Every structure is written in C-alpha cells, then in structure tokens.
Amino acid sequence: MPDPPKHPVEQPAFRSMMLTSLFLGIVLLICAAEGGASSGFLSIVMVLMFAIFLISFGLYWLAWMLREHEIWREGRRGREE
C-alpha cells in the first residue's frame, strides 16, 4: 500500500517557502531603508514578500490547528468505543 500524502504542515517545501519569503522581506526592508534609485520597486517587492509570508503563515497555522483537532477527535472516538 502506498504511503498516504503528507499533511501540509509536514511538507518541507511549504515551510521553506514561508521562511524564504520572510528572509527576503527582511533583506529587502534593509535594502529599501538605505534608499537609492530603485527603493520604490524594492518597497513593492518587500511588501509582496511580507504578504506572502503572512498568508502562508496563516494557512500553516490553520492547517496545524485542523490537524490537531482531527487527532483529538480520533483519540476521543477511540475512548468512547
């Protein structure tokens, strides 16, 4: 029998995308704070990176909560039988 697909919380690609967008957002924040000719473009990309991080973190947290709730329900179902 093949292994079941991993839960999104267990996917390393999802976590790495989330942390990469946070890291790039911080780097771009530092670069945009120094100023320069392209600070407007860097600011837009920085906001985009932080938005990707916030959305992916929210999805990660929601998936984790739903997974923990399902584990709790399965444990409760086992005790009631």
Side-chain angles (χ1 to χ4, degrees):
M1 175 181 257
D3 292 332
K6 288 186 175 182
H7 194 270
V9 174
E10 299 169 338
Q11 299 272 350
F14 188 76
R15 284 181 280 182
S16 64
M17 189 238 359
M18 181 176 63
L19 293 176
T20 302
S21 65
L22 176 64
F23 177 73
L24 286 176
I26 292 171
V27 168
L28 290 172
L29 176 66
I30 293 169
C31 291
E34 291 177 1
S38 63
S39 67
F41 175 72
L42 290 178
S43 297
I44 292 171
V45 176
M46 174 196 61
V47 169
L48 180 65
M49 287 294 122
F50 280 126
I52 290 171
F53 169 73
L54 287 176
I55 291 169
S56 62
F57 181 76
L59 289 173
Y60 184 83
W61 181 75
L62 179 64
W64 181 78
M65 291 293 289
L66 290 173
R67 179 176 176 246
E68 291 297 317
H69 179 69
E70 189 62 30
I71 291 170
W72 173 76
R73 284 182 59 202
E74 288 295 321
R76 222 177 134 172
R77 187 177 302 147
R79 278 189 277 161
E80 289 176 355
E81 290 176 355

